[in-house]
Every structure is written in structure tokens, then in C-alpha cells.
Amino acid sequence: MAVDSSPRSAVNCPEPNEKFAKALQFIEEMTKNTDSVQEKVLAEILGQNTETEYLRRFNLNGAMDRDSFKSRIPVVTYEDLQPEIQRIANGDFSPILCSHPISEFLTSSGTSEGERKLMPTISEEMNRRQLLYSLLMPVMNLYVSGLDCGKGLYFLFVKAESKTPGGLVARPVLTSYYRSEQFKTRPYDPYNVYTSPDEAILCVDSFQSMYTQMLCGLLMREEVLRVGAVFASGLLRAIRFLQLNWRQLAHDISTGSLNPRITDSCIQEKMATILNEPNPNLAEFIARECEDEIWESIIPRIWPNTKYLDVIVTGAMAQYIPLLDFYSGGLPQACTMYASSECYFGLNLKPMTKPSQVSYTIMPNMGYFEFIPHGLSAPVKLSRDSPPRLVDLADLEVGKEYELVVTTYSGLSRYRVGDILRVTGFHNSAPQFKFIRRKNVLLSIDSDKTDESELQKAVEHASAMLSEFRTSVVEYTSYADTKTIPGHYVIYWELLVKDPANAPTDDVLAKCCLTMEETMNSVYRQCRVADNSVGPLEIRIVKKGTFEELMDYAISRGASINQYKAPRCVSFTPIVELLNARVLSKHFSPSAPKWTPERRI
Ligand code: AMP
């Protein structure tokens, strides 16, 4: 296999083309001059935004240096900026946060008050994002040869957009990118040829989009050199889709005709040029591979030339590594970049390293980055009146953990992203980071992120339905069950039933599941309803005394009896096994919760 864990030597590989050489040189230049690039980026941002209402409020008075910035501008969260963001959303186009016009809002998978966060962006940011994308292949080419001699099977999707009251579009950053002219009119690049036609990627109907992308992937199976999706959960969803739909897909291939459920005219037109003759041999092959229901190594069996999976398996996605190993027969899993709606941060300079050892290098040209030391016995004071002096990108220490704070060209100043990163080393003078976790996220299956207070609220709402049965929830915990695809939330409840003759029925407990889902944030409900990337929520009722056993177990492992609190989420296998061994009954949400793309403003 042409995959190597060390860079290809000059002896056995041809010189990368000039474009690649330039990209690699750019990475070197940026990372060798981390601090000066950061200084320049901050000066550019402050110079651009000096006349904004926000910077004027803190009396920056045109200063563009780090000292003035750090001593006057507060470190903020989304909630702090919400009044300004709401004004922009409502149509106030004066320079509030940024002097350039806000072109759209990017909807983050993080939420505030149950709705997606709205990140303002400006049109030139698209070029910055594009620049980061353009660095990925030159780096990959150092490790994997011949990627210009085939195609990538990537499952890429757009999501529904909405408009703010002031008329700005609000949509996820990737939807914005796939709909952009930069993407739609991209020049031919042999290293970035996808099996999926743009018409399929750009179709909002997730079934039609996935079906067409899978069909094209099957038709071009021998040309496929890499298989991917943005996140691991997306690739697993595609495998599940194949499990459920291979018969129809094989039928289309054997007859050369398109499934009538594909009604999107742009897709139909495009597919007429791709699926234009019957191929019974291929259809037979697919049926043979799929009908045995032996799904181990299905990826290399169907796509035999796959060199690696291109998919993020760091952070919350690490839970999917074993399943991806199973379906891919242990193909390398390349995590190429680290990005967010607020800002694209950086890339993995050794994309073939094992997922547990992945480190991302933040590119100093993407924004101005500061870091709050994390886990200190005396945490940094984040007072607005006397802003803290945070650590700069070039001054971080290996082995320490930090929370990422970003200042962007789009007008976020000293904004807490919420990610905790550990410095693992340096590339030149640029630190490299292991992604540790996102703060306050308890449960996550796909792009949903549920925190402790959201879970608490959902349990409160649902358990209110039990009062007429003189029943209450005495303890609860949760578990992200990703053994099935799609994964789903499992909530363990220990009940106090005062009147066993009138205990809550199965029907009531199923309604409790649905009530919990209705209470969850909009990203969760979108995953459930529009994307089908999260399955129905499950409540498991456990025997009386289970949570006491859980406490005994924790104490036997050294927890302090005085400080013990039942964990609100569990993942440690012995604990999950203990809970599962005490389950009395299981209940599932009987239908999907309500969700529409419109925000509740
Ligand atoms: P969003 O705001 O919805 O675009 O989500 C951005 C967040 O996704 C980041 O702040 C991280 O928490 C997470 N994320 C993005 N890229 C990675 C990655 N490569 N590894 C782990 N987590 C990531």
C-alpha cells in the first residue's frame, strides 16, 4: 500500500509540483515567524476595525499593538456579544463589530439558549478558509503518493438555510462554502476530483443527496483512492445507508436507470450522463458483497484502492474509531484540519499519524490567537474591568493545557471558542496541539452538543409527567450509545414509585423520551429530524439502589465520599455495564421532535 507514516524521501518520489512546493514553503514561512505573523495579524485586524463601535467602546483609540489590545479589550463569550449579534441580525448594518459588511452568519453547532450560535462573517474570510484548504493536499502528498491518479469519495452535504429578521443568510460554514462560487467554479485539480457531482452535494434533501453520492461512489469504485466525510459520524452514516439501500442501488446499476425517489431535476440531469448504461456485473458484485451481511472491511472490499479514510476522529469523534476500524479493515484515518465557524484554525502536518497521536498546528495567519491556561489551581481572572494578560501563540509551553481565545478579521475580539487544547510540541516556532475536549459538552453523537444544564432541563420537563403517578426521578445519568448507527442518547433513570399499583405505563415513559427530545437544543433536533444522524432517545429504568452501587464503585476507586456526585454522563465501560445489568425496562421516543430551520428569535 502506498501509505507511509514518514514523509516520502526524495529518492522514491517525484518532486511535488510547483504549487505544492509553494504551499509547503508558505507553511514553513508562517510557522517560522509565528510571533511576528501574529503581531501583524493583530495590527491588521485592529487597523481594519478601529472605527467599529465595539473597539471604540473600549477606548482603543486607533492603537494596533498587543499591549493596548490586551489591557483594554475584555475576554468574552458568545453570551457577552449577543446584544451586538442580535442587532446585526435585526438589520443594523452600522460597523458594530467589524468595519467590513457582514456578508452572512455562520451557524455554529454550539448553542446559546437552545438555538445555534450566529457567527458573523465577511466575504474575504472565504479566501482565508480556501487558503487553509489549499494546504491540505500538499501536506498529504508528502505521505501518500498517486492521489492525482484517482478520485475521492466524500460524503458532503449542505443543510437548510434561514434568514435573520434583517435579511442576512444564516447557515453552517460548510454549506456556505459548498454554495460559494469558489467551490462551484473551482478549477480542475487532479488531486481534488470527487466522485460526488456538485448537484448531489448541493441538494438539500439528505436522502437524495446521500443516495446519489453513494451511487456515484459505487459506479466509480475502482477509481476511488480515499473515502471520507467531515466527521466520522458522517462516514458511518453513509455505511449504514449502504446497508439499508444496497438493493435499490444495485438495481439502478444493473438497469442503468435512476431510482424514482430521486426527483431533484439537477441531479436527474447530471446522473443521465453518469448512469447511462446497465452494468449487471457491477450490480452483481455489489449484491454479493452486501447480501451476506458481513460488513467487516466493507470499505476496502467495495473500494479496493482506498489508501486512507479522510475523516475527523479527534475530540468527540474518537468514540467512532473502533467502528471505523471494523468497516475499513484498519485503513489509516487521516484527520487533516481543525476549524470552526468562528475561524479556521490549522492543519495536521502529519496526517497519517494514529488518531490518538494527532496534533494540529494552528496557522498564525488565520487570526490572532491567545490562550487561557487551563486547570491552574488559581484560575486566570477574566474581569471585564481589568482584562487579563493571556498567553500568546508563540509563548505556550509543551505539556500544558489551554483554552483557545480568538480574535478574527470578522469582528470577534478575544472570543472564547470553548476548546481545550494541549501543547504537544512545536513545528518551527508554531505550537502543535492535541484536541482535548470542548468545554461543557456532556453528550455528542454527531454535530449535536448537549451540556449538563440542557440535560437537567430535559429531565425536569420529562419527569414532570410522572407526578400524576406519584413517581419521581431520584437519580439519572446519561450515555452516548454509538454502537448502533445512528447513535442515540441513553438516559438512565432510577425512579421512586410511591404507588406501585398506579406506576407510569410504557406509553407515559415513551412520551417522557419525546418530551426530553423536544426540550433539547435546535442542533440536536435538527440531527434527529433533518439529518437522521441521531436516533430516538432512550430511557432505561434501573433498579432501586443502582445509583448507590454506582457511588460504592466510585468510592472503591478512590472518590471522596463527601464530595461524591452522581456523574451526569458515563462512558467508562465497567460503569456502563453495571448500569445495563440493572435495567428493568427500556423506552424509546415514539416520534421525532419538532424542528424547523427557522430560529426562535
Ligand atoms: P462549529 O462551530 O459547529 O463549526 O464547530 C467547531 C468545533 O468543532 C470546534 O470548536 C471543535 O470543538 C470541534 N472541532 C473542529 N475540528 C475538530 C477536530 N479536528 N478535532 C476535534 N474537534 C474539532
Side-chain angles (χ1 to χ4, degrees):
M1 191 185 302
V3 177
D4 211 337
S5 59
S6 53
R8 292 191 288 144
S9 71
V11 183
N12 61 18
C13 86
E15 277 297 304
N17 66 36
E18 208 180 312
K19 211 169 91 199
F20 282 12
K22 270 198 182 145
L24 297 175
Q25 198 186 336
F26 177 77
I27 294 173
E28 290 305 287
E29 263 168 38
M30 291 297 114
T31 55
K32 277 184 180 153
N33 300 295
T34 303
D35 204 43
S36 57
V37 173
Q38 282 283 276
E39 192 162 15
K40 186 165 153 269
V41 165
L42 181 64
E44 274 173 15
I45 294 174
L46 297 181
Q48 174 197 291
N49 291 336
T50 182
E51 289 304 321
T52 56
E53 185 185 316
Y54 191 77
L55 292 186
R56 287 168 73 108
R57 188 182 304 161
F58 299 106
N59 300 320
L60 207 57
N61 304 330
M64 290 192 277
D65 61 291
R66 277 194 239 207
D67 279 344
S68 311
F69 177 72
K70 283 171 181 271
S71 60
R72 290 179 215 170
I73 306 297
V75 175
V76 292
T77 62
Y78 183 80
E79 282 66 30
D80 296 320
L81 294 180
Q82 212 158 14
E84 284 78 16
I85 289 179
Q86 197 59 56
R87 277 172 56 205
I88 301 171
N90 289 344
D92 183 341
F93 297 135
S94 63
I96 299 174
L97 296 175
C98 182
S99 65
H100 288 202
I102 300 301
S103 53
E104 60 182 305
F105 279 111
L106 302 177
T107 53
S108 157
S109 57
T111 53
S112 176
E113 293 165 12
E115 291 293 327
R116 282 173 177 275
K117 292 178 184 171
L118 291 176
M119 295 300 166
T121 191
I122 55 177
S123 48
E124 71 165 57
E125 265 310 279
M126 187 68 81
N127 298 336
R128 214 165 273 115
R129 291 193 275 269
Q130 182 99 40
L131 173 68
L132 194 66
Y133 284 128
S134 75
L135 304 178
L136 303 181
M137 255 311 158
V139 172
M140 189 55 91
N141 182 61
L142 294 174
Y143 297 88
V144 185
S145 59
L147 290 172
D148 54 338
C149 303
K151 295 184 179 175
L153 165 54
Y154 282 86
F155 296 94
L156 306 176
F157 300 92
V158 293
K159 296 200 181 181
E161 306 183 350
S162 62
K163 278 227 165 121
T164 67
L168 284 173
V169 171
R171 55 191 176 183
V173 62
L174 289 172
T175 299
S176 166
Y177 177 61
Y178 301 143
R179 292 240 165 95
S180 70
E181 287 311 305
Q182 279 98 325
F183 180 77
K184 288 194 283 191
T185 61
R186 62 198 183 278
Y188 175 80
D189 169 2
Y191 286 90
N192 279 305
V193 182
Y194 300 144
T195 54
S196 298
D198 288 2
E199 291 78 0
I201 296 172
L202 294 171
C203 173
V204 186
D205 181 301
S206 62
F207 176 85
Q208 296 191 50
S209 175
M210 176 76 94
Y211 190 92
T212 313
Q213 297 195 51
M214 184 59 83
L215 183 56
C216 292
L218 294 173
L219 288 166
M220 300 173 215
R221 60 182 278 271
E222 289 187 359
E223 292 169 76
V224 170
L225 301 182
R226 50 204 166 110
V227 175
V230 180
F231 289 113
S233 53
L235 183 52
L236 287 168
R237 202 145 45 90
I239 302 295
R240 179 74 191 143
F241 189 89
L242 181 62
Q243 290 176 337
L244 296 174
N245 294 283
W246 64 264
R247 282 192 178 79
Q248 179 67 43
L249 288 157
H251 174 268
D252 289 10
I253 294 169
S254 104
T255 57
S257 61
L258 189 60
N259 180 350
R261 280 182 72 186
I262 308 302
T263 53
D264 181 299
S265 58
C266 299
I267 295 186
Q268 285 176 336
E269 216 171 285
K270 182 71 188 181
M271 289 310 288
T273 66
I274 297 174
L275 181 69
N276 46 15
E277 58 185 39
N279 188 341
N281 289 343
L282 177 58
E284 246 171 63
F285 166 81
I286 288 161
R288 246 193 343 267
E289 291 297 337
C290 298
E291 73 194 346
D292 284 349
E293 296 189 3
I294 299 170
W295 288 84
E296 189 168 2
S297 299
I298 192 73
I299 295 176
R301 282 193 279 131
I302 294 198
W303 295 284
N305 299 316
T306 312
K307 295 173 187 239
Y308 65 94
L309 305 182
D310 191 344
V311 74
I312 291 176
V313 283
T314 42
M317 291 294 141
Q319 60 191 337
Y320 295 110
I321 294 171
L323 214 48
L324 281 179
D325 277 336
F326 176 80
Y327 289 126
S328 73
L331 280 170
Q333 298 165 13
C335 300
T336 56
M337 71 189 271
Y338 170 42
S340 77
S341 315
E342 295 89 331
C343 181
Y344 276 25
F345 304 122
L347 73 172
N348 177 1
L349 295 177
K350 291 185 178 165
M352 284 297 129
T353 40
K354 280 202 283 195
S356 58
Q357 278 156 28
V358 167
S359 287
Y360 298 101
T361 304
I362 291 187
M363 288 296 288
N365 58 304
M366 298 302 290
Y368 177 63
F369 303 103
E370 294 173 276
F371 296 83
I372 306 173
H374 184 70
L376 297 183
S377 47
V380 176
K381 285 206 180 74
L382 297 172
S383 132
R384 280 179 82 92
D385 302 331
S386 130
R389 180 108 206 157
L390 302 182
V391 188
D392 273 315
L393 187 60
D395 299 334
L396 300 178
E397 290 178 57
V398 174
K400 294 207 169 146
E401 290 186 5
Y402 300 90
E403 182 188 332
L404 177 60
V405 172
V406 69
T407 297
T408 67
Y409 286 86
S410 305
L412 297 176
S413 296
R414 309 195 91 188
Y415 177 89
R416 295 173 74 171
V417 175
D419 289 348
I420 307 294
L421 310 172
R422 183 188 302 141
V423 181
T424 54
F426 282 82
H427 179 77
N428 298 320
S429 60
Q432 301 188 290
F433 300 92
K434 181 178 168 82
F435 182 94
I436 300 299
R437 63 186 173 86
R438 187 161 174 110
K439 269 175 38 188
N440 303 331
V441 173
L442 211 56
L443 289 163
S444 174
I445 298 283
D446 187 38
S447 55
D448 55 301
K449 298 179 175 78
T450 298
D451 69 22
E452 193 164 331
S453 67
E454 288 169 329
L455 180 64
Q456 167 77 21
K457 207 163 83 187
V459 170
E460 277 168 15
H461 277 192
S463 58
M465 298 172 68
L466 303 179
S467 58
E468 65 175 285
F469 301 91
R470 298 183 58 219
T471 296
S472 53
V473 175
V474 284
E475 267 303 0
Y476 70 91
T477 190
S478 63
Y479 170 65
D481 186 347
T482 51
K483 289 193 192 69
T484 51
I485 308 172
H488 70 291
Y489 290 9
V490 174
I491 318 295
Y492 294 92
W493 273 7
E494 185 173 321
L495 299 180
L496 177 65
V497 186
K498 293 209 180 106
D499 178 6
N502 182 31
T505 58
D506 285 355
D507 195 34
V508 169
L509 290 164
K511 281 194 187 126
C512 288
C513 296
L514 183 58
T515 303
M516 286 196 74
E517 294 201 296
E518 297 283 9
T519 316
M520 296 291 182
N521 64 53
S522 80
V523 181
Y524 175 89
R525 286 176 289 116
Q526 181 174 8
C527 287
R528 274 282 282 128
V529 178
D531 307 342
N532 287 317
S533 56
V534 174
L537 182 142
E538 178 184 359
I539 291 177
R540 292 185 189 163
I541 305 293
V542 292
K543 271 197 335 220
K544 197 165 161 240
T546 301
F547 279 82
E548 229 170 281
E549 278 190 68
L550 214 62
M551 178 173 79
D552 292 344
Y553 182 83
I555 288 164
S556 75
R557 288 174 54 90
S560 146
I561 192 157
N562 293 323
Q563 287 161 316
Y564 179 81
K565 283 203 283 322
R568 288 300 175 224
C569 181
V570 296
S571 57
F572 185 49
T573 308
I575 299 226
V576 178
E577 282 171 356
L578 187 155
L579 285 162
N580 285 339
R582 310 293 183 273
V583 170
L584 298 173
S585 61
K586 297 180 177 185
H587 310 271
F588 287 90
S589 216
S591 56
K594 289 188 202 73
W595 175 81
T596 60
E598 282 74 44
R599 301 168 62 82
R600 289 177 297 202
I601 296 205

